[in-house]
């Protein structure tokens, strides 16, 4: 442990060198802005910035890339809250409560909560990383296909809690998402599925962003147009230093959820297959399930912003672990980090920790510093982001509309996806009108392919025996937890109904 | 430009004059926007590592006026990437990093409608090799004989991991099944990195990973190679026998090349040939090949590469016929 601490100390000192500190500040700012733009893609952003990294020594370069990565994780929350469009799958859960908060004029509160929760998530996870990295690396190896599937099952179980009171409608929404997720090439045999004859645009499947931007961007805008009936609405948000202090004081109301989300996010993040999306979702689901006031979730509860943001930041630190020890990057941005490592002759693998401790701990040290830097930069930018919302809807709506089209086009650069996005927007509007929860469908399209692959791999290995999911200790535990998570809201509802009946009979 | 024309010397004079003629226009073409480098496999595998190294070297040496952006399209054993390239016909800003599934996937999945012989050949960066790996804790397995005995004893409970079905790993697995007369359960994963992780975590029993994918785990003592499917022992693994030495006639390689979509303009093709030749000749690339057990002795580009592809394509059609498409896809 002493060795680790002295290495970490050296890493921190390294990160505080003037050059490295500059790289962290530039990286965090760039990352924040890149992450805040829906669909414009951190991959392109980071790839274009890669040349800068060759002007500086390798350690500074890796610190720069890590800072961009870190900043982008913070930035994801910004478009979710201010525009209601999740720019990355990790920020979907942030929309649930972030958007209602912004619409009711409390965007500053949501943005501060997101920043603070991200900071707490980041801090807890780097500390956990420092203390438990090697044992967790070997724990992650215990996760084979059945365990991965059980984890996905757990994530799906938390959906039930997300959907509000109407459990059948939630299940319907999940199923729609799962059907959409099967479109494209079969992940095991490679055969095309559900491509409607031979429409080549369906070959690559339905991109998550197309669905998310369609439903949340276009669909929401249609809904707002209808409800406002042409009235020009301006959100009144005041941002001052005292309101910032007040918002910061509120932290204690969601510190519990945030801590839980951070720990959960870190552990889920260290598993090679999972990553930050299931982590943020599970964190949100848990926060809602165990809240004293679960009904306020989805209508603008600050804890509903803090929980997923803490978890996705913690998970992104956690996902550094499989990248360093196994060479499996958890996201396209981490893949670029991996590319950087290979160019400087650092091969990820179990020996990197022992052979290049200066690199590993320098990276971790830079995460500590990047965390502080991003918090401060983020808080400084909040008034600017909030200003966006004070624009009249007649200006804001076309801006959102253009961002949606660009965001839908950018990932695959085909018009097919833009048309698809409009269709999803219209469908999303009707689902909203008919009171169907759309979030489960969006998340099912993200997790569906992961779940399908691990399910089929497990069944191949067990020759079709489904008991493989319950007989293995880790997956068995996850399955049991999933069953409890599904049963708990059902039980609560039953109890409520009974209480309600009792109340009626009493009053009568 | 002369450098590029050189490999074509054996060609008829008419063809080479045509090439030199177009050389004036060649020097003028440069990419106008970022170049998409499509990887037909998942992150962390051999193809992915190579693509990211190439991207870095191009940036480091400032070889291209526009950046190269690697994009993984791993779906359906590379089918997603191949179909994407096919639909990009005529595009000058997209290149594909290939595996041998470049040959096998269109043969096994005819409904894809992809004909790789129409693709624009650019350059072959390396020939990659295959070794048979098991976990180090399998103490009773020390060589090929004890491996075959262990597989036969386990039967279909023996799990072999690889990247995608119908891809090189599954072909080699099917070749071994045929040679030794056993049958295993083949489990496809999205990339070589995930396969390696599942072997170290003992979720599968063996794999035929490339050296780059297992080297770090081998050095850490997690896994061990039993046999290499090469003509001669690789310098990186001097103590591991080749299959041929053991009297087993299995030799299998994988090309790692860059190809453009069909109908890429000749000017763009020439630009990319020149670009990747510079990467190939770099000290960093050659060192990477030595460290990771790849063969980077010979550069092949343009028509020469097209000829190589044609031979390989024919060989893979024969291989698939010999072992049966069902044995490869596991259907």
């Amino acid at each position: 442990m002493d060795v680790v601490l002295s290495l970490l100390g050296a890493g921190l000192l390294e990160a505080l060198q003037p050059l490295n500190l500059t790289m962290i500040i530039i990286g965090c700012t760039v990352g924040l802005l890149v992450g805040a733009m829906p669909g414009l893609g951190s991959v392109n952003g980071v790839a274009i910035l890669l040349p800068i990294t060759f002007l500086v020594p390798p350690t500074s370069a890796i610190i720069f890339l890590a800072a961009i990565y870190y900043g982008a994780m913070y930035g994801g929350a910004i478009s979710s809250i201010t525009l209601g469009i999740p720019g990355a799958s990790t920020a979907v859960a942030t929309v649930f409560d972030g958007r209602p908060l912004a619409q009711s004029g409390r965007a500053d509160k949501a943005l501060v909560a997101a920043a603070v929760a991200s900071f707490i998530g980041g801090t807890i996870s780097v500390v956990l990383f420092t203390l438990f990295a090697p044992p967790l690396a070997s724990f992650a190896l215990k996760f084979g296909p059945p365990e991965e599937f059980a984890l996905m099952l757990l994530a799906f179980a938390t959906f039930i809690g997300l959907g509000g009171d109407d459990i059948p409608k939630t299940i319907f929404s999940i199923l729609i998402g799962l059907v959409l997720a099967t479109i494209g090439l079969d992940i095991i045999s490679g055969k095309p599925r559900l491509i409607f004859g031979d429409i080549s645009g369906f070959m690559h499947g339905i991109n998550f962003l197309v669905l998310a931007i369609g439903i949340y961007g276009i669909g929401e805008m249609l809904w707002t147009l209808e409800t406002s009936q042409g009235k020009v609405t301006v959100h009144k948000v005041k941002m001052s230093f005292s309101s910032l202090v007040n918002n910061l004081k509120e932290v204690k109301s969601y510190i519990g959820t945030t801590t839980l989300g951070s720990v959960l996010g870190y552990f889920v993040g260290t598993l090679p297959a999972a990553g930050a999306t299931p982590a943020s979702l599970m964190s949100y689901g848990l926060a809602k399930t165990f809240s004293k006031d679960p009904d306020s979730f989805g209508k603008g509860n600050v804890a509903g912003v803090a929980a997923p943001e803490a978890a996705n930041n913690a998970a992104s630190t956690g996902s550094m672990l499989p990248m360093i020890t196994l060479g499996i990057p958890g996201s396209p941005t981490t893949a670029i980090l991996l590319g950087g490592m290979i160019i400087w002759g650092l091969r990820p693998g179990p020996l990197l920790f022992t052979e290049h401790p200066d690199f590993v701990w320098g990276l971790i040290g830079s995460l500590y510093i990047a965390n502080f830097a991003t918090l401060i930069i983020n808080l400084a930018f909040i008034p600017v982001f909030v200003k966006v919302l004070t624009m009249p809807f007649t200006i804001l709506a076309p801006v959102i509309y253009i961002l949606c089209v660009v965001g839908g086009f950018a990932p695959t650069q085909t018009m097919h996806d833009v048309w698809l996005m409009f269709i999803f927007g219209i469908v999303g509007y009707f689902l909203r009108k008919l009171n169907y929860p759309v979030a489960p469908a969006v998340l099912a399209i993200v997790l569906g392919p992961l779940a399908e692959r691990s399910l089929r791999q497990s069944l191949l290995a067990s020759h079709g025996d489904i008991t493989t999911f319950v007989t293995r200790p880790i997956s068995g535990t996850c399955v049991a937890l999933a069953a409890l998570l599904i049963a708990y809201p059902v039980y609560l509802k039953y109890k409520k109904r009974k209480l309600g009946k009792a109340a009626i009979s009493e009053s009568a | 430009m002369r450098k590029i024309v050189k490999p074509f010397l054996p060609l008829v004079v008419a063809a080479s004059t045509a090439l030199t003629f177009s050389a004036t226009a060649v020097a003028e073409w440069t990419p106008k926007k970022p170049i998409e480098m499509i990887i037909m496999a998942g992150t962390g595998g051999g193809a992915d590592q190579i693509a990211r190294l190439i991207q870095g070297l191009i940036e480091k040496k400032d070889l291209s006026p526009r950046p190269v952006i690697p994009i993984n399209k791993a779906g359906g054993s590379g089918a997603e990437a191949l179909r994407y390239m096919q639909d990009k016909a005529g595009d000058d800003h997209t290149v594909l990093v290939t595996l041998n599934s470049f040959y096998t996937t269109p043969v096994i999945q005819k409904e894809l409608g992809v004909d790789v012989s129409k693709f624009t050949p650019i350059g072959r960066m390396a020939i990659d090799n295959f070794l048979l790996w098991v976990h180090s804790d399998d103490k009773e397995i020390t060589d090929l004989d004890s491996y075959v005995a262990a597989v036969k004893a386990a039967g279909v409970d023996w799990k072999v991991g690889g990247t995608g079905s119908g891809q090189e790993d599954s072909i080699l697995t099917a070749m071994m099944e045929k040679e030794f007369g056993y049958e295993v359960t083949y489990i496809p994963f999205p990339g070589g990195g995930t396969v390696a992780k599942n072997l170290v975590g003992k979720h599968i029993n063996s794999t035929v990973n490339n050296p780059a994918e297992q080297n770090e785990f081998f050095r850490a003592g997690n896994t061990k190679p039993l046999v290499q499917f090469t003509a001669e022992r690789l310098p990186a693994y001097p103590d591991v026998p080749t299959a041929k030495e053991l009297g087993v006639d299995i030799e299998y390689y994988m090309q790692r090349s860059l190809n453009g979509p069909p109908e890429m303009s000749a000017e763009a093709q020439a630009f990319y040939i020149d670009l990747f030749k510079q990467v190939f000749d770099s000290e960093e690339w050659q060192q990477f090949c030595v460290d990771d057990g790849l063969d980077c002795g010979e550069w092949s580009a343009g028509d020469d590469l097209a000829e190589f592809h044609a031979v390989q394509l024919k060989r893979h059609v024969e291989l698939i016929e010999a072992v049966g498409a069902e044995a490869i896809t596991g259907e």
Side-chain angles (χ1 to χ4, degrees):
Chain A
M1 201 66 240
D2 291 349
V3 186
V4 167
L5 285 179
S6 70
L7 284 167
L8 182 65
L12 281 171
L13 283 179
E14 179 76 32
L16 283 170
Q17 301 286 323
L19 173 67
N20 293 344
L21 199 58
T22 316
M23 294 310 269
I24 287 175
I25 291 168
I26 298 174
C28 288
T29 314
V30 170
L32 198 65
L33 296 175
V34 164
M37 287 182 223
L40 288 187
S42 55
V43 184
N44 283 300
V46 178
I48 290 162
L49 289 165
L50 199 60
I52 299 177
T53 62
F54 295 111
L55 304 173
V56 294
T59 319
S60 312
I62 243 11
I63 286 173
F64 179 61
L65 291 176
I68 296 177
Y69 174 66
Y70 217 78
M73 283 313 282
Y74 271 77
I78 293 163
S79 66
S80 286
I81 292 169
T82 53
L83 304 176
I85 316 168
S89 60
T90 50
V92 173
T94 314
V95 177
F96 301 161
D97 279 280
R99 185 65 185 147
L101 277 170
Q103 280 170 331
S104 58
R106 288 177 289 163
D108 57 329
K109 188 176 278 196
L111 287 168
V112 170
V116 173
S118 295
F119 174 73
I120 295 172
T123 308
I124 290 180
S125 61
V126 275
V127 171
L128 286 174
F129 195 114
T130 314
L131 298 176
F132 301 115
L136 269 175
S138 49
F139 179 74
L141 282 174
K142 291 204 169 66
F143 265 71
E147 285 76 19
E148 282 164 17
F149 178 71
L151 189 74
M152 292 301 146
L153 205 62
L154 197 54
F156 278 115
T158 54
F159 284 0
I160 307 289
L162 292 186
D165 295 334
D166 209 329
I167 291 170
K169 276 184 176 173
T170 307
I171 292 172
F172 175 79
S173 181
I174 291 178
L175 294 179
I176 291 275
L178 287 177
V179 169
L180 291 176
T182 57
I183 291 176
L185 294 161
D186 182 315
I187 41 188
I188 302 279
S189 77
K191 301 263 188 289
R193 298 187 297 198
L194 300 178
I195 54 165
F196 300 94
D198 187 27
I199 301 175
S200 66
F202 283 120
M203 283 278 184
H204 60 246
I206 292 185
N207 192 305
F208 145 80
L209 275 173
V210 172
L211 183 69
I213 295 178
I215 286 184
Y216 288 108
I218 306 281
E220 270 291 317
M221 205 162 55
L222 291 174
W223 172 255
T224 316
L225 281 176
E226 192 198 46
T227 47
S228 67
Q229 295 284 344
K231 269 181 290 186
V232 182
T233 47
V234 179
H235 296 296
K236 286 204 180 70
V237 201
K238 274 194 201 124
M239 193 68 200
S240 63
F241 189 73
S242 64
S243 72
L244 176 67
V245 172
N246 277 337
N247 284 329
L248 285 175
K249 273 185 191 155
E250 242 186 68
V251 170
K252 63 176 182 295
S253 70
Y254 51 80
I255 188 81
T257 353
T258 308
T259 313
L260 180 69
S262 307
V263 176
L264 176 83
Y266 177 71
F267 282 106
V268 175
T270 56
L271 306 172
T277 308
S280 63
L281 166 69
M282 286 159 83
S283 171
Y284 183 88
L286 283 182
K288 183 176 174 178
T289 310
F290 296 111
S291 164
K292 284 183 197 109
D293 185 16
D295 289 339
S296 66
F297 276 78
K299 297 181 186 106
N301 188 322
V302 181
V305 172
E309 277 304 306
N312 71 27
N313 262 52
S316 61
T317 310
S319 71
M320 294 275 175
L321 190 64
M323 186 193 80
I324 292 171
T325 60
L326 300 168
I328 303 175
S331 70
T333 332
T334 7
I336 290 172
L337 267 175
L338 180 68
M341 287 167 63
I342 294 174
I343 297 162
W344 293 295
L346 297 162
R347 295 294 150 77
L351 297 179
L352 195 69
F353 259 100
T354 44
E355 288 180 356
H356 297 281
D358 46 335
F359 165 77
V360 175
W361 295 109
L363 180 65
I364 304 305
S366 74
L367 288 181
Y368 275 96
I369 308 287
N371 208 8
F372 271 104
T374 323
L375 177 71
I376 291 160
I377 294 167
N378 200 348
L379 288 177
F381 267 115
I382 284 177
V384 183
F385 294 126
V386 167
K387 199 89 188 150
V388 170
L389 287 171
T390 60
M391 281 193 280
F393 190 67
T394 42
I395 294 174
L396 197 56
V399 171
I400 295 179
Y401 179 81
I402 290 166
L403 279 177
C404 286
V405 174
V406 172
F409 183 75
T412 52
Q413 309 200 353
T414 52
M415 278 309 285
H416 170 88
D417 281 355
V418 178
W419 300 127
L420 208 57
M421 184 189 76
F422 284 128
I423 296 171
F424 285 139
I426 294 164
V427 173
Y429 161 76
F430 281 110
L431 285 177
R432 170 95 199 240
K433 227 172 148 58
L434 299 171
N435 216 4
Y436 276 84
V438 288
V442 174
L443 292 157
I445 208 171
V446 177
L447 300 184
L450 295 173
E452 188 195 346
R453 176 181 285 130
S454 52
L455 172 68
R456 289 174 66 182
Q457 283 168 343
S458 312
L459 292 179
L460 272 174
S462 70
H463 307 295
D465 183 5
I466 54 162
T467 55
T468 183
F469 298 113
V470 285
T471 49
R472 296 167 65 113
I474 297 172
S475 71
T477 314
C478 289
V479 170
L481 279 174
L484 279 177
L485 272 177
I486 295 176
Y488 186 65
V490 177
Y491 163 76
L492 275 186
K493 219 182 146 194
Y494 169 77
K495 210 171 97 178
K496 215 190 220 169
R497 191 178 289 168
K498 222 174 154 187
L499 276 176
K501 270 189 190 153
I504 290 164
S505 57
E506 243 170 57
S507 62
Chain B
M1 211 41 241
R2 293 269 167 255
K3 247 194 270 172
I4 297 161
V5 181
K6 231 182 237 170
F8 298 96
L9 278 182
L11 292 175
V12 283
V13 184
S16 66
T17 19
L19 265 169
T20 14
F21 178 70
S22 66
T24 40
V26 164
E28 285 162 24
W29 193 89
T30 49
K32 311 286 180 293
K33 57 178 188 178
I35 304 155
E36 279 185 25
M37 190 193 263
I38 308 296
I39 306 158
M40 50 191 302
T43 46
D48 188 55
Q49 290 187 16
I50 284 171
R52 290 179 195 285
L53 178 61
I54 293 174
Q55 176 202 20
L57 289 175
I58 290 174
E59 291 295 347
K60 191 177 173 187
K61 296 175 178 298
D62 201 14
L63 301 177
S64 168
R66 291 283 180 274
V68 175
I69 298 169
I71 299 171
N72 296 83
K73 290 192 184 289
S77 304
E80 183 187 356
L82 289 171
R83 179 63 194 236
Y84 181 80
M85 293 301 285
Q86 176 102 343
D87 293 342
K88 281 261 175 176
D91 187 286
D92 285 347
H93 293 90
T94 312
V95 295
L96 175 75
V97 184
T98 63
L99 288 71
N100 276 5
S101 46
F102 181 65
Y103 309 123
T104 56
T105 300
V107 174
I108 294 169
Q109 298 174 45
K110 294 211 163 52
E111 63 274 27
L112 265 184
V114 169
D115 180 1
V116 291
S117 64
K118 297 264 164 50
F119 282 29
T120 311
I122 294 171
R124 193 182 67 210
M125 300 300 291
I127 303 246
D128 208 344
N129 299 295
F130 290 91
L131 283 85
L132 175 65
W133 302 87
V134 292
H135 198 284
S136 310
D137 289 353
D138 280 331
K139 298 277 184 243
E140 72 284 3
I141 301 175
T142 51
D143 55 10
L144 188 60
D145 286 340
S146 50
Y147 172 80
V148 172
V151 178
K152 282 189 171 161
V156 288
D157 286 333
W158 190 270
K159 296 183 279 269
V160 179
T163 49
S165 48
Q167 218 155 315
E168 43 290 324
D169 294 1
S170 61
I171 289 184
L172 191 47
T173 304
M175 283 160 83
M176 289 176 72
E177 282 180 326
K178 193 163 176 263
E179 178 75 29
F180 301 116
Y182 59 62
E183 202 175 319
V184 296
T185 298
Y186 180 82
I187 303 174
F189 291 91
T194 327
V195 176
K197 175 230 144 191
N198 276 283
L199 180 65
V200 177
K202 298 184 190 172
H203 303 291
I204 50 176
N205 302 101
S206 67
T207 115
V208 286
N209 269 154
N210 304 119
E213 294 164 343
Q214 280 287 352
N215 213 7
E216 287 301 303
F217 299 104
F218 171 52
R219 289 206 306 126
N222 298 130
T223 59
K224 58 183 178 190
L226 296 174
V227 60
Q228 37 191 329
F229 302 99
T230 50
E232 276 162 27
R233 294 186 184 195
L234 295 171
Y237 302 93
D239 302 328
V240 182
T242 66
K244 288 246 166 105
E245 285 174 40
L246 301 171
V248 177
D249 187 23
I250 300 179
E251 198 185 317
Y252 193 68
Y253 299 101
M254 171 151 68
Q255 47 81 33
R256 302 241 184 234
S257 69
L258 284 141
N259 298 271
E263 296 156 41
M264 178 183 257
S265 72
E267 293 81 9
Q269 183 191 13
F271 169 83
Y272 290 118
I273 290 178
D274 188 43
L275 173 68
F276 292 111
K277 176 75 165 64
Q278 290 180 53
V279 175
F280 180 83
D281 286 337
S282 71
E283 204 180 300
E284 291 92 335
W285 178 259
Q286 292 296 330
Q287 187 58 44
F288 171 79
C289 292
V290 173
D291 291 346
D292 282 33
L294 288 110
D295 182 356
C296 297
E298 199 187 337
W299 167 253
S300 168
D303 292 352
D304 190 36
L305 179 61
E307 208 169 291
F308 174 84
H309 280 333
V311 172
Q312 287 288 313
L313 198 55
K314 190 163 163 281
R315 182 168 178 234
H316 278 92
V317 170
E318 286 164 8
L319 272 176
I320 291 167
E321 263 171 28
V323 296
E326 305 78 32
I328 294 166
T329 54
E331 278 170 16

